[in-house]
């Protein structure tokens, strides 16, 4: 009885010493990292990530050493050692996974996305997020495999499975076809740069932003705060719109159906004044054109540009509201209305133009100040946009052609014309 009491006392003292050693080692490590954290921010993140996995690993190793030393001839020593081996493998895998998460967090923090041009940062964040999940999954599977192979029965089963690997691989492939397809699709999305975190996309008729890319699914945050969850294979097998693939700048349109008495020139002047009053317009392009004139109305289309899709939406709404307000306030004749024209047919006049030898009256040409720039003509910027749709064929302006004819040379720089 006295010997048993001494055994338990020794075991309790050993556990107390173990606890003191564990807390001393972890406290010393934390003290060193906190000293580093005064100059380096990453040290605080390392403490948060590795504190409990590190302590757990120290406790498992210490307990194993204490029990092995105190009870070397215990009848269930094999089972106890096997249990400690499994716990040691699991705690080591936990520590490695947390170290991997810390490293990826540190790398992701180097790429902020709250900047104007964040295309490279979004690409890096997407790849790192998928990579960290992939590495953690691999680490978990490796730890589970190592734990299984600590059992003799599992090793025998593994040898038999390797003998029939062909049949097993076919069955496993058919059973996990969808899962494996999503897994490889997620990896492909991360490294093919098709979509990135924070990209603006249009999928299934919904406009939203990529919030998360995993190995199985992609989460799209819809503009009205809904969440659209799609499998990774959707983005590798179906077409979708990516509005920020190479840049965030966009061109948007505003269309108005107005009366035939509308003055396009006055509307252009008003559009200039509207865009000067707002910071939503990025100054790249502004165009007002009459694109249709059928059905009793004149269709006026305004094209404006903005730095990104949310800004463009607000800019289109602002321009539309201001133009409607201007029409109601300053140009009531342009308000859309249905007209019925009733006229009495008259006999043709004998004094029509040309009968008495006089030439028909030709309407005067439009003054130079009333000429306007179009989307693909009239200005250097517009002609540069047109060149993108004409395989970079140079556009020779009319004035240049006339000057070259006056000099006796062809527009393309060839031999002089016969004239």
């Amino acid at each position: 009885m006295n010997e048993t009491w001494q055994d338990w006392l020794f075991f309790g003292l050993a556990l107390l010493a173990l606890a003191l050693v564990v807390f001393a080692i972890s406290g010393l490590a934390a003290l060193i990292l906190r000293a580093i954290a005064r100059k380096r921010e990453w040290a605080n993140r390392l403490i948060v990530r590795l504190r409990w996995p590190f302590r757990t690993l120290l406790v498992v190793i210490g307990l194993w050493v204490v029990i092995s030393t105190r009870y070397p001839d215990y009848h269930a020593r094999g089972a106890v050692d096997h249990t400690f081996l499994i716990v040691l493998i699991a705690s080591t895998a936990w520590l490695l996974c947390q170290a991997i998460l810390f490293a990826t967090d540190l790398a992701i923090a180097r790429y902020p996305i709250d900047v104007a041009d964040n295309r490279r940062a979004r690409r890096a964040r997407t790849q790192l997020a998928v990579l960290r999940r992939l590495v953690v999954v691999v680490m978990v599977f490796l730890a589970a495999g190592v734990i299984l192979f600590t059992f003799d029965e599992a090793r025998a089963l593994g040898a038999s499975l390797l003998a029939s690997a062909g049949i097993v691989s076919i069955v496993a492939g058919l059973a996990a076809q969808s899962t494996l397809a999503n897994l490889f699709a997620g990896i492909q999305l991360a490294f093919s740069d098709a979509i990135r975190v924070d990209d603006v996309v249009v999928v299934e008729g919904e406009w939203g932003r990529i919030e998360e890319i995993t190995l199985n699914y992609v989460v799209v945050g819809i503009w009205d705060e809904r969440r659209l969850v799609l499998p990774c294979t959707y983005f590798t097998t179906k077409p979708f719109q990516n509005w920020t693939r190479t840049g965030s700048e966009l061109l948007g349109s505003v269309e108005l159906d107005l009366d035939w008495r509308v003055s396009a020139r006055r509307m252009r002047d008003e559009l200039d004044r509207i865009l000067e009053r707002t910071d939503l317009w990025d100054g790249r392009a502004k165009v007002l054109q009459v694109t249709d004139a059928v059905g009793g109305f004149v269709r006026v289309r305004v094209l404006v540009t903005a730095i990104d899709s949310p800004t463009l939406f607000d800019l289109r709404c602002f321009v539309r509201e201001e133009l409607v307000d201007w029409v109601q306030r300053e140009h009531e004749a342009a308000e859309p209305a249905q007209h019925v024209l009733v006229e009495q047919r008259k006999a043709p006049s004998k004094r029509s133009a040309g009968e008495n030898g006089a030439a028909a009256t030709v309407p005067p040409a439009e003054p130079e100040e009333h000429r306007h720039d179009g989307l693909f003509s009239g200005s250097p910027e517009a002609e540069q946009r047109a060149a993108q749709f004409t395989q970079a064929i140079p556009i020779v302006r009319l004035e240049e052609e006339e000057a070259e004819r006056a000099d006796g040379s062809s527009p393309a720089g060839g031999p002089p014309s016969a004239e």
Side-chain angles (χ1 to χ4, degrees):
M1 187 69 180
N2 190 23
E3 184 179 357
T4 305
W5 176 79
Q6 291 178 355
D7 291 343
W8 281 108
L9 180 61
F10 179 79
F11 186 69
L13 292 176
L15 291 180
L16 181 60
L18 172 63
L20 292 176
V21 170
V22 168
F23 281 103
I25 295 176
S26 62
L28 180 61
L31 204 62
I32 296 173
L33 290 176
R34 285 194 178 93
I36 299 175
R38 296 174 182 175
K39 298 181 179 179
R40 298 289 187 271
E41 179 63 26
W42 58 265
N44 286 325
R45 298 181 181 179
L46 184 61
I47 294 174
V48 174
R49 283 289 185 185
L50 301 186
R51 176 186 298 162
W52 289 109
F54 182 66
R55 290 178 178 176
T56 303
L57 184 61
L58 290 179
V59 169
V60 171
I61 295 174
L63 281 176
W64 196 0
V65 171
V66 169
I67 293 177
S68 300
T69 303
R70 186 69 188 96
Y71 304 103
D73 300 328
Y74 187 60
H75 62 88
R77 175 68 182 276
V80 173
D81 289 344
H82 192 198
T83 302
F84 273 108
L85 179 61
I86 293 175
V87 177
L88 180 64
I89 294 172
S91 57
T92 303
W94 184 21
L95 181 65
L96 291 177
C97 288
Q98 291 296 327
I100 292 170
L101 293 178
F102 163 73
T104 53
D105 286 343
L106 204 62
I108 289 175
R110 297 178 58 186
Y111 297 96
I113 60 175
D114 54 348
V115 294
D117 186 9
N118 59 0
R119 185 168 61 91
R120 181 183 175 187
R122 288 187 286 109
R123 176 182 180 182
R125 278 176 171 255
T126 301
Q127 294 177 353
L128 288 171
V130 174
L131 185 62
R132 69 185 291 179
R133 289 187 175 93
L134 182 62
V135 173
V136 169
V137 169
V138 171
M139 288 294 303
V140 171
F141 272 100
L142 285 177
V146 173
I147 291 174
L148 286 177
F149 273 90
T150 59
F151 296 91
D152 295 335
E153 296 81 0
R155 285 198 295 268
L157 180 62
S160 62
L161 289 177
L162 289 176
S164 58
I167 299 176
V168 173
S169 61
I170 293 174
V171 174
L174 292 176
Q177 181 179 3
S178 177
T179 303
L180 292 177
N182 276 321
L183 175 65
F184 288 110
I187 299 174
Q188 179 182 350
L189 289 177
F191 293 95
S192 65
D193 207 24
I195 57 173
R196 300 171 296 262
V197 174
D198 210 41
D199 268 345
V200 177
V201 296
V202 177
V203 290
E204 296 294 319
E206 300 284 358
W207 176 83
R209 183 178 60 87
I210 300 293
E211 288 188 346
E212 185 180 4
I213 300 177
T214 68
L215 295 177
N216 295 320
Y217 58 87
V218 177
V219 180
V220 182
I222 309 303
W223 65 273
D224 56 1
E225 297 186 357
R226 290 178 293 147
R227 298 297 182 270
L228 183 64
V229 181
L230 298 170
C232 292
T233 52
Y234 178 93
F235 293 92
T236 58
T237 58
K238 294 184 179 181
F240 62 93
Q241 298 181 35
N242 189 340
W243 288 10
T244 55
R245 175 66 175 78
T246 57
S248 60
E249 297 85 0
L250 291 173
L251 177 70
S253 63
V254 175
E255 292 186 336
L256 301 173
D257 288 338
L258 301 174
D259 192 83
W260 280 64
R261 291 176 293 179
V262 64
S263 173
R265 179 179 57 82
R266 292 178 60 187
M267 287 196 71
R268 289 190 189 96
D269 296 338
E270 181 61 23
L271 177 63
D272 293 338
R273 289 189 290 267
I274 291 173
L275 296 178
E276 288 175 358
R277 297 198 306 266
T278 179
D279 295 330
L280 301 175
W281 182 54
D282 62 1
R284 290 188 300 116
K286 57 176 180 178
V287 177
L288 188 147
Q289 293 174 317
V290 178
T291 59
D292 206 350
V294 295
F297 296 103
V298 172
R299 176 160 296 178
V300 177
R301 184 177 68 177
V302 177
L303 298 179
V304 288
T305 55
I307 58 174
D308 52 31
S309 54
T311 306
L312 180 63
F313 179 82
D314 292 338
L315 178 61
R316 291 171 60 196
C317 294
F318 176 75
V319 171
R320 187 182 297 112
E321 293 173 3
E322 292 295 320
L323 286 178
V324 169
D325 181 70
W326 175 79
V327 169
Q328 295 174 349
R329 186 182 67 254
E330 302 290 341
H331 198 7
E332 296 181 359
E335 294 182 4
Q338 293 287 347
H339 299 280
V340 178
L341 180 62
V342 180
E343 63 178 4
Q344 183 179 2
R345 185 179 295 275
K346 297 181 180 180
S349 175
K350 294 183 180 180
R351 300 186 62 181
S352 59
E355 279 189 347
N356 54 0
T361 304
V362 179
E366 185 180 10
E368 183 67 24
E369 62 270 16
H370 291 172
R371 295 181 59 184
H372 64 278
D373 297 340
L375 179 62
F376 300 111
S377 62
S379 67
E381 294 80 6
E383 292 173 1
Q384 184 178 4
R385 285 193 292 271
Q388 298 177 1
F389 295 91
T390 56
Q391 302 297 327
I393 298 175
I395 300 176
V396 182
R397 303 182 66 175
L398 182 61
E399 294 83 355
E400 296 177 357
E401 292 180 353
E402 293 177 352
E404 289 173 352
R405 290 194 186 99
D407 295 339
S409 60
S410 63
S417 60
E419 297 179 357

